[in-house]
Amino acid sequence: MAKIIVVTSGKGGVGKTTSSAAIGTGLALAGHKTVIVDFDIGLRNLDLIMGCERRVVYDFVNVINGEANLKQTLIKDKRVDNLFILPASQTRDKDALTKEGVERVLNELAQDFDFILCDSPAGIESGAMMALYFADEAVVVTNPEVSSVRDSDRIIGMLSSKSRRAEQGLEGIKEHLLLTRYNPERVQKGEMLSVEDVKEILAIELIGVIPESQAVLNASNSGQPVIMDKDSDAGQAYLDTVQRLLGEKVPLRFLTVEKKGFIKRIFGG
Amino acid sequence: MSEHSLELKGSLFPLSVLHCTDASAATLGPLLSAKLAQAPGFFYQAPIVLNLQDCVDVPDFAALKHLFSELKLVLVGVTGASASVKTAAQQAGLAVLQAGKAATTKSAASEAHSTSSSAQSAQKTAATHSLAAQPVMMDSKVVEQTVRSGQQIYAKGADLIVKGAVGAGAEVIADGNIHIYGSLRGKAIAGASGDTSKRIYCYNMQAELVSVAGNYWLSESLQGEFWGKPACIKLQDETLVISELV
């Protein structure tokens, strides 16, 4: 039985697509057959982050409208086995998604895949609702600043009231908090909310903290999920996150300011 | 006093008035039992006055009395009736009541038509007292989780208990008291229908707004001694007062 995980946040630009790409790749690396579905119809980005923008022929909306089948549309990742991408349409808008259409596609994917990762668009409108409606679990991506935290709070409310699980009275969506762009130095200076602050406000289980890192931008620009950059702190933090998502206990890292060594202090680091 | 074995005094009692457009037992029956099902026990053996202002036909009072007793209600009289309906009602053994000032709202039509001002003011207190004296308790509305930004919870005619926090941008409203066992970062409005005796209790006060019976404070009035601490908000002499939870 496939597990449907939505990656959502409410606010834009917090790292939903980056996280979807990284977590999806991580799950595939761990041997699980995974598909990442781009729900951001009209603002297609996932293909860029995954580095497969030139291989998009058909898209999600084509499949919903019956203009193409899944086999034609799914893009197989060239680097990682077991990893597929279902790209969004760039020329349509979010109203092209229907609940029945999305359900049909997800059901079809569920027969083949272990994990279906839904990369949600920003906002709380139909596109985002569609992405979270069928989810079993949710990764709520949040930046350590007040507006992102408030929007996440709003989307967590939506998860517990507007999803299929809520409507059918099933056990609620399992919510995970993923804190991204975390900068311990700025937290120490009081310029940024700390992990504890955010946890206290949102009151859901923390699944990972991704440090603010140059590696993320580099990865996006080169179309390589940051989790594949195993030397980078962000890549390692995503690897930890995926392990926690799979139920393993892994201690949090990158939460404190790194002490600069003597040499670094003299020569600059 | 012992000389008086009998005394006749005017008093005011709260009565529930039932407004309906069709007073035939057949129409009223299902509607009324559906209404009662919303608050089982609340109207148990309650005295009811039937307002027939909007009714055209003369109802079958015998059938109505039977219907009311079946639904565990006591039909005591009619109000707003035309002359012919009045006669029929009196023949059926029902009291004919003149519509009091408050009869158009929920309750309080008086059987004895006293117009003295002291009785008028007594009317209000009698209404609250007898409600409190009724053994029927309204269930509190209990919210098990945190109330998230953008969500609105209203406890109609009841207390509201929130086991989690109330997030910034969330609203909790109750006609009764509000108890929040987490942090209050959003808005809390107690006594929403005007009851000035209601209070707000929370474990960690960081509210955007608190209000009791329409008197409100914004966040800046709360920034003080009790900010981020357990606190209780109540109304005293028409101003809000904040105090610690002991």
Side-chain angles (χ1 to χ4, degrees), chain B residues 174-176 188-200 210-216 234-235 238 240:
Chain B
D175 289 336
I189 297 160
S193 52
D195 191 339
T196 52
S197 68
K198 300 306 178 197
R199 298 182 181 196
I200 299 167
V210 289
S211 163
V212 177
N215 299 273
Y216 69 91
K234 65 173 178 180
L235 202 57
E238 294 182 11
L240 292 178

Side-chain angles (χ1 to χ4, degrees), chain B:
Chain B
M1 287 301 261
S2 57
E3 300 166 22
H4 301 284
S5 57
L6 190 89
E7 203 174 13
L8 204 55
K9 268 183 148 181
S11 292
L12 290 160
F13 297 96
L15 291 171
S16 294
V17 181
L18 182 69
H19 297 257
C20 60
T21 47
D22 184 354
S24 68
T27 327
L28 207 51
L31 289 174
L32 200 52
S33 44
K35 194 84 187 162
L36 294 179
Q38 289 175 4
F42 190 70
F43 289 104
Y44 182 75
Q45 296 294 12
I48 302 283
V49 174
L50 199 56
N51 188 329
L52 296 168
Q53 216 164 5
D54 303 325
C55 287
V56 193
D57 306 323
V58 179
D60 180 354
F61 282 111
L64 279 179
K65 275 174 92 171
H66 182 68
L67 169 72
F68 275 67
S69 66
E70 259 187 5
L71 294 170
K72 305 280 182 248
L73 297 169
V74 185
L75 181 59
V76 294
V78 295
T79 184
S82 62
S84 56
V85 176
K86 269 184 194 168
T87 325
Q90 276 164 344
Q91 278 169 358
L94 293 169
V96 175
L97 306 169
Q98 272 175 35
K101 273 183 185 168
T104 43
T105 64
K106 269 205 287 192
S107 62
S110 59
E111 204 156 345
H113 304 294
S114 169
T115 47
S116 73
S117 60
S118 64
Q120 288 273 324
S121 64
Q123 187 173 358
K124 206 174 170 187
T125 39
T128 33
H129 279 196
S130 77
L131 269 180
Q134 267 182 358
V136 184
M137 301 287 284
M138 279 299 275
D139 280 341
S140 300
K141 191 180 177 98
V142 181
V143 179
E144 299 283 342
Q145 332 81 359
T146 287
V147 184
R148 302 287 177 181
S149 183
Q151 290 180 327
Q152 201 179 40
I153 308 259
Y154 175 38
K156 189 173 162 47
D159 284 2
L160 176 63
I161 298 168
V162 180
K163 281 170 77 179
V166 175
E171 278 179 36
V172 287
I173 305 166
D175 289 336
N177 301 299
I178 297 179
H179 307 257
I180 299 160
Y181 289 93
S183 303
L184 169 58
R185 299 192 190 87
K187 299 180 181 172
I189 297 160
S193 52
D195 191 339
T196 52
S197 68
K198 300 306 178 197
R199 298 182 181 196
I200 299 167
Y201 304 88
C202 76
Y203 193 69
N204 186 331
M205 173 62 74
Q206 301 174 40
E208 289 171 356
L209 177 145
V210 289
S211 163
V212 177
N215 299 273
Y216 69 91
W217 269 351
L218 290 175
S219 168
E220 52 189 26
S221 314
L222 294 162
Q223 312 261 358
E225 204 188 329
F226 297 102
W227 189 255
K229 300 223 169 66
C232 164
I233 302 270
K234 65 173 178 180
L235 202 57
Q236 208 169 54
D237 304 328
E238 294 182 11
T239 29
L240 292 178
V241 178
I242 187 165
S243 58
E244 62 186 331
L245 289 182
V246 185

Side-chain angles (χ1 to χ4, degrees), chain A residues 9 28 161 260:
Chain A
S9 72
S161 61
K260 283 186 180 170

Side-chain angles (χ1 to χ4, degrees), chain A residues 99-143:
Chain A
K99 214 175 248 183
E100 296 72 34
V102 172
E103 184 173 25
R104 187 169 49 77
V105 174
L106 290 181
N107 281 343
E108 208 175 318
L109 288 172
Q111 292 171 4
D112 260 356
F113 288 91
D114 302 326
F115 285 97
I116 302 172
L117 222 57
C118 303
D119 181 19
S120 170
I124 52 170
E125 279 74 41
S126 68
M129 290 302 109
M130 215 60 90
L132 67 79
Y133 185 76
F134 297 99
D136 302 309
E137 296 189 20
V139 173
V140 180
V141 183
T142 307
N143 287 170

Side-chain angles (χ1 to χ4, degrees), chain A residues 19-256:
Chain A
S19 298
S20 298
I23 293 171
T25 308
L27 288 169
L29 284 171
H32 302 280
K33 197 169 178 193
T34 304
V35 57
I36 314 175
V37 184
D38 191 350
F39 272 78
D40 206 347
I41 312 295
L43 293 168
R44 187 174 79 201
N45 282 165
L46 180 69
D47 53 323
L48 290 170
I49 307 287
M50 293 298 296
C52 63
E53 69 274 16
R54 289 170 199 283
R55 297 167 59 209
V56 176
V57 182
Y58 295 108
D59 59 54
F60 194 5
V61 174
N62 291 139
V63 181
I64 285 181
N65 293 343
E67 293 150 6
N69 63 34
L70 269 178
K71 209 173 169 190
Q72 293 168 302
T73 313
L74 286 174
I75 304 172
K76 189 182 181 320
D77 192 88
K78 284 189 170 164
R79 299 153 297 207
V80 185
D81 283 341
N82 297 323
L83 181 60
F84 292 81
I85 290 109
L86 182 57
S89 167
Q90 182 70 354
T91 51
R92 307 292 292 272
D93 61 38
K94 310 232 169 358
D95 300 330
L97 296 180
T98 59
K99 214 175 248 183
E100 296 72 34
V102 172
E103 184 173 25
R104 187 169 49 77
V105 174
L106 290 181
N107 281 343
E108 208 175 318
L109 288 172
Q111 292 171 4
D112 260 356
F113 288 91
D114 302 326
F115 285 97
I116 302 172
L117 222 57
C118 303
D119 181 19
S120 170
I124 52 170
E125 279 74 41
S126 68
M129 290 302 109
M130 215 60 90
L132 67 79
Y133 185 76
F134 297 99
D136 302 309
E137 296 189 20
V139 173
V140 180
V141 183
T142 307
N143 287 170
E145 49 98 16
V146 283
S147 58
S148 174
V149 170
R150 177 174 296 191
D151 291 358
S152 293
D153 196 34
R154 181 99 166 96
I155 213 81
I156 297 168
M158 299 275 187
L159 288 170
S160 57
S161 61
K162 296 276 163 67
S163 63
R164 176 171 64 174
R165 282 173 169 269
E167 280 178 11
Q168 296 181 351
L170 302 168
E171 195 188 336
I173 293 178
K174 202 165 156 196
E175 299 137 345
H176 309 280
L177 171 64
L178 180 63
L179 209 52
T180 54
R181 308 191 69 169
Y182 195 74
N183 186 334
E185 253 171 64
R186 300 192 64 187
V187 171
Q188 208 172 46
K189 285 186 202 158
E191 296 171 350
M192 211 178 236
L193 294 173
S194 71
V195 178
E196 294 310 317
D197 291 340
V198 181
K199 260 172 77 178
E200 212 259 316
I201 296 174
L202 292 180
I204 59 172
E205 172 236 351
L206 182 72
I207 195 152
V209 179
I210 313 298
E212 172 100 78
S213 167
Q214 193 60 45
V216 174
L217 188 63
N218 292 343
S220 300
N221 288 338
S222 60
Q224 179 115 330
V226 68
I227 199 165
M228 301 188 72
D229 183 357
K230 293 195 173 92
D231 299 328
S232 70
D233 45 1
Q236 290 171 22
Y238 272 118
L239 279 171
D240 291 355
T241 302
V242 169
Q243 281 185 290
R244 289 187 203 106
L245 201 58
L246 292 170
E248 287 170 50
K249 290 237 178 294
V250 185
L252 288 168
R253 291 193 275 174
F254 315 111
L255 294 189
T256 46

